[in-house]
Amino acid sequence: MDIKYLKIAIEEAKKAYEEGEIPIGAVVVKNDKIISKAHNMKEQLKCSTKHAEIIAIEKASNILETWRLNDCEIYLTMEPCLMCYGALIQCRISKIYYLLNNDKFGSITSVGQALNNIKSNHKLNIKKINNKEMEMINKKMLKDFFEAKR
């Protein structure tokens, strides 16, 4: 696992923050090459499904010309919600790396491991990244974003 991709995901989260979106970023990688990157765009696109993960999956699928992202991994600034986790299962991504737990909407820590144990031909490799410096950057961005909204 390469931290450089997580840093790029944080840059995507910063773009979201600057655009008034919840600061979450995603990067899809295949064979050590970035296929797509994205950030939340719910407000801008006026669509509740335009989370960073969904947009990154859509872009990667278009670039690779397939909905099957079997040999791809995704780097996320935050644990995915249930919708995004379902999309990651459906596109058959092979690995998920994420930085922060999502206490309100996170699906990996709540139902993800149970879903991954269901009989299926596709199993996800999931890893929470422990990097205090990057965690602090991302937590501050999220805190500042929500304080400004309230």
Side-chain angles (χ1 to χ4, degrees), residues 1-94:
M1 189 270 311
D2 199 337
I3 280 303
K4 70 181 175 185
Y5 299 124
L6 190 56
K7 287 180 181 179
I8 294 166
I10 289 173
E11 289 303 315
E12 285 295 313
K14 287 178 184 175
K15 289 179 189 176
Y17 179 85
E18 292 165 2
E19 294 171 8
E21 301 278 354
I22 296 174
I24 297 175
V27 177
V28 175
V29 175
K30 181 176 182 177
N31 299 327
D32 205 30
K33 179 183 173 204
I34 294 174
I35 304 301
S36 68
K37 52 188 178 177
H39 56 275
N40 277 6
M41 296 182 74
K42 286 170 48 172
E43 299 297 330
Q44 185 176 350
L45 298 176
K46 297 175 179 32
C47 181
S48 62
T49 63
K50 293 305 179 184
H51 292 199
E53 300 92 329
I54 301 295
I55 297 168
I57 289 168
E58 290 172 349
K59 286 180 175 181
S61 293
N62 285 334
I63 289 166
L64 297 173
E65 297 181 339
T66 181
W67 61 268
R68 292 178 181 91
L69 303 180
N70 295 24
D71 298 321
C72 296
E73 26 189 67
I74 193 164
Y75 294 80
L76 307 170
T77 57
M78 182 172 272
E79 173 185 6
C81 70
L82 188 56
M83 173 185 71
C84 293
Y85 186 67
L88 291 165
I89 292 169
Q90 288 296 317
C91 75
R92 293 173 171 71
I93 207 143
S94 60

Side-chain angles (χ1 to χ4, degrees), residues 63-142:
I63 289 166
L64 297 173
E65 297 181 339
T66 181
W67 61 268
R68 292 178 181 91
L69 303 180
N70 295 24
D71 298 321
C72 296
E73 26 189 67
I74 193 164
Y75 294 80
L76 307 170
T77 57
M78 182 172 272
E79 173 185 6
C81 70
L82 188 56
M83 173 185 71
C84 293
Y85 186 67
L88 291 165
I89 292 169
Q90 288 296 317
C91 75
R92 293 173 171 71
I93 207 143
S94 60
K95 295 178 184 172
I96 300 172
Y97 298 101
Y98 69 99
L99 182 61
L100 297 177
N101 287 335
N102 183 343
D103 296 333
K104 286 189 178 183
F105 300 108
S107 61
I108 290 173
T109 53
S110 59
V111 297
Q113 295 304 331
L115 286 175
N116 208 28
N117 290 331
I118 294 173
K119 272 194 171 177
S120 170
N121 292 335
H122 180 67
K123 297 292 181 194
L124 285 171
N125 183 344
I126 302 166
K127 181 173 182 180
K128 183 183 182 311
I129 298 169
N130 294 309
N131 182 299
K132 297 298 179 200
E133 180 184 345
M134 286 195 280
E135 285 177 18
M136 294 304 293
I137 291 167
N138 212 46
K139 282 180 181 178
K140 181 178 180 347
M141 196 172 7
L142 285 161

